[in-house]
Amino acid sequence: MFCDESGNSGINYLDTDPFLVLAGFVVAGGARRKAEAAVLSFVEDLDLPGGKEPKFRDVWRKSRRARTLGMLRELGQARAFPVFYFMQKQFAVAGKVVDVLLDPLHNPGSSWLPTTALRERQRLTQLVYTVRDDVLRDFAEAYKDPSENTPVFRSCIERLVEFAELQREPLLAAGFRGALDSLDAIIEAEDYDSIDDGKHAEYASLNVPALMQFMRKCDMVLDMYRPKQGTLVHDEQSQFERVFKFYVQMSQGIGVGHSELEGVLDSQGMAVDRIGVRNIHRFSMRDSKGEPLLLAADCLAGGIARVLKLALEGQPWSDAEREFAELTLPAVMGNREAPSGYYADNQFVAETLGRLVDRSIGAST
């Protein structure tokens, strides 16, 4: 599994890039050489000066778009399986509001909302996403350094209490009032600087949950392979190397411990998302200059970020961008075992996928 990111902004949730995209390809060992040859042929055709490493902004110039789309099809023919996960950053702030402020471990006023109540937490995240933009913006800014921004947090929560009352959500209002009473404990719990000599900006960035969800998607794809022994290769990124390794190891342990429970629930017809990973046995970061499939992952991530941004802004897709969307986005329309996923506002996702409805996408996917 070879993957790269687009829109990395770390702890700065609301920068100019509205999406964080993690994308790449799952390739069986026996198919790797053919897949790499497709990418190397593509890079050779680009003929970039000085052997420059191609980035999405290079390959998506008008004169190169057709060849880029052709490379993606060639990877499909070489049995390189595309996987991606994207997070809408402003929606992720709403999710942080729910997860941080309504954690019953630190806020007794939210005891009615256990951490396992995923559907209700998702509903509340959709609701909080509709609060005034200044509330989410202030929360995102304060979250960069929680211990230094207690007054801002308090102001945000007071506005959230008013919002919940206006929405006629008494339990939600009570939960936010509880957050006011428990604010010191909540902020102390968010002090990630004490973990493994790390930094809050590393552990609290969106890159971490995006990687975890991407890994689960890849892990599901690996169920199709024998043997199920996968290696996840991420483009070299020193900022998150230690943090990523920490969470990969943790997720591997969780996956082993819960595999039997998940199997029982599946046998009873009860939908359960994969908790950890079972099939990913190694993780590494490598320089994309020596890994052709990391170059392809960069193109995939950059293209998905572009078509999503245009959809968010209500701008039309060009023919090439529509074709790119048809090659990739339908993957999120499947069931819970779909190879790709998202953390975003449901209305945005529906409107974006709705752009594809009146076109035949069966052959593309």
Side-chain angles (χ1 to χ4, degrees):
M1 294 145 288
F2 296 86
C3 64
D4 199 1
E5 298 173 351
S6 177
N8 168 29
S9 57
I11 194 67
N12 299 312
Y13 288 5
L14 297 180
D15 70 336
T16 55
D17 289 317
F19 297 95
L20 172 64
V21 179
L22 192 59
F25 296 89
V26 177
V27 187
R32 180 174 175 181
R33 186 171 296 180
K34 183 177 180 180
E36 289 179 339
V39 180
L40 291 173
S41 174
F42 166 70
V43 173
E44 185 177 342
D45 290 347
L46 293 179
D47 193 26
L48 295 177
K52 178 183 176 183
E53 179 183 340
K55 296 294 184 182
F56 180 74
R57 60 180 174 273
D58 299 311
V59 306
W60 204 245
R61 295 178 181 177
K62 285 188 177 180
S63 61
R64 296 169 175 160
R65 291 180 183 179
R67 182 65 184 92
T68 302
L69 292 168
M71 183 264 291
L72 292 175
R73 292 194 194 87
E74 290 172 21
L75 283 172
Q77 294 167 1
R79 294 190 294 134
F81 200 96
V83 185
F84 67 87
Y85 186 82
F86 71 84
M87 300 185 78
Q88 185 181 358
K89 293 180 182 178
Q90 185 152 353
F91 186 82
V93 176
K96 273 291 182 183
V97 168
V98 174
D99 289 343
V100 170
L101 300 182
L102 302 178
D103 184 348
L105 183 63
H106 309 293
N107 172 9
S110 60
S111 58
W112 54 274
L113 186 66
T115 54
T116 54
L118 300 182
R119 289 186 181 180
E120 180 63 5
R121 286 182 171 272
Q122 178 75 5
R123 183 189 76 84
L124 293 176
T125 298
Q126 291 283 345
L127 181 63
V128 171
Y129 180 70
T130 66
V131 74
R132 296 197 319 263
D133 287 348
D134 63 291
V135 178
L136 296 180
R137 184 181 62 249
D138 289 351
F139 182 92
E141 285 297 319
Y143 192 65
K144 292 179 183 179
D145 191 345
S147 61
E148 294 295 321
N149 291 292
T150 302
V152 181
F153 271 120
R154 188 171 297 280
S155 173
C156 287
I157 298 170
E158 289 170 348
R159 284 174 280 171
L160 286 165
V161 171
E162 295 175 1
F163 170 75
E165 290 174 340
L166 288 173
Q167 297 296 317
R168 298 183 179 180
E169 293 273 353
L171 284 176
L172 183 60
F176 286 137
R177 289 194 196 95
L180 284 173
D181 296 334
S182 309
L183 187 54
D184 289 343
I186 291 171
I187 289 177
E188 184 179 355
E190 290 299 319
D191 182 12
Y192 291 99
D193 288 350
S194 61
I195 301 179
D196 191 31
D197 297 324
K199 297 179 180 178
H200 175 78
E202 294 175 353
Y203 283 89
S205 72
L206 292 181
N207 304 63
V208 171
L211 179 69
M212 295 300 98
Q213 292 297 333
F214 178 80
M215 283 178 56
R216 292 187 184 103
K217 297 298 180 183
C218 289
D219 207 56
M220 292 179 188
V221 174
L222 288 183
D223 284 346
M224 301 186 301
Y225 293 85
R226 298 288 191 278
K228 303 174 184 179
Q229 302 230 356
T231 298
L232 180 63
V233 181
H234 192 294
D235 189 24
E236 207 166 45
Q237 195 178 83
S238 58
Q239 179 186 7
F240 294 107
E241 183 171 8
R242 175 180 53 186
V243 180
F244 281 176
K245 287 182 177 179
F246 173 84
Y247 278 101
V248 168
Q249 291 172 357
M250 182 178 68
S251 188
Q252 287 171 335
I254 292 173
V256 172
H258 287 80
S259 59
E260 291 185 5
L261 172 61
E262 292 173 13
V264 170
L265 292 172
D266 276 336
S267 67
Q268 295 175 352
M270 298 175 65
V272 54
D273 289 329
R274 185 156 300 184
I275 301 171
V277 295
R278 309 171 195 166
N279 305 317
I280 297 175
H281 291 244
R282 286 180 291 174
F283 172 82
S284 65
M285 286 190 164
R286 301 179 195 167
D287 189 340
S288 55
K289 291 180 181 179
E291 295 288 355
L293 287 165
L294 286 178
L295 299 179
D298 176 80
C299 294
L300 182 65
I304 292 171
R306 179 176 178 82
V307 297
L308 290 175
K309 183 178 180 181
L310 290 173
L312 182 69
E313 296 172 348
Q315 297 185 34
W317 289 329
S318 67
D319 288 344
E321 287 156 351
R322 174 172 286 277
E323 192 168 350
F324 192 103
E326 290 175 345
L327 283 167
T328 57
L329 296 187
V332 304
M333 298 175 72
N335 59 22
R336 68 185 178 88
E337 295 178 345
S340 299
Y342 60 88
Y343 190 65
D345 175 42
N346 288 340
Q347 182 177 346
F348 162 74
V349 174
E351 291 175 352
T352 303
L353 295 179
R355 291 183 173 210
L356 307 175
V357 169
D358 58 353
R359 291 279 296 265
S360 174
I361 61 176
S364 300
T365 56

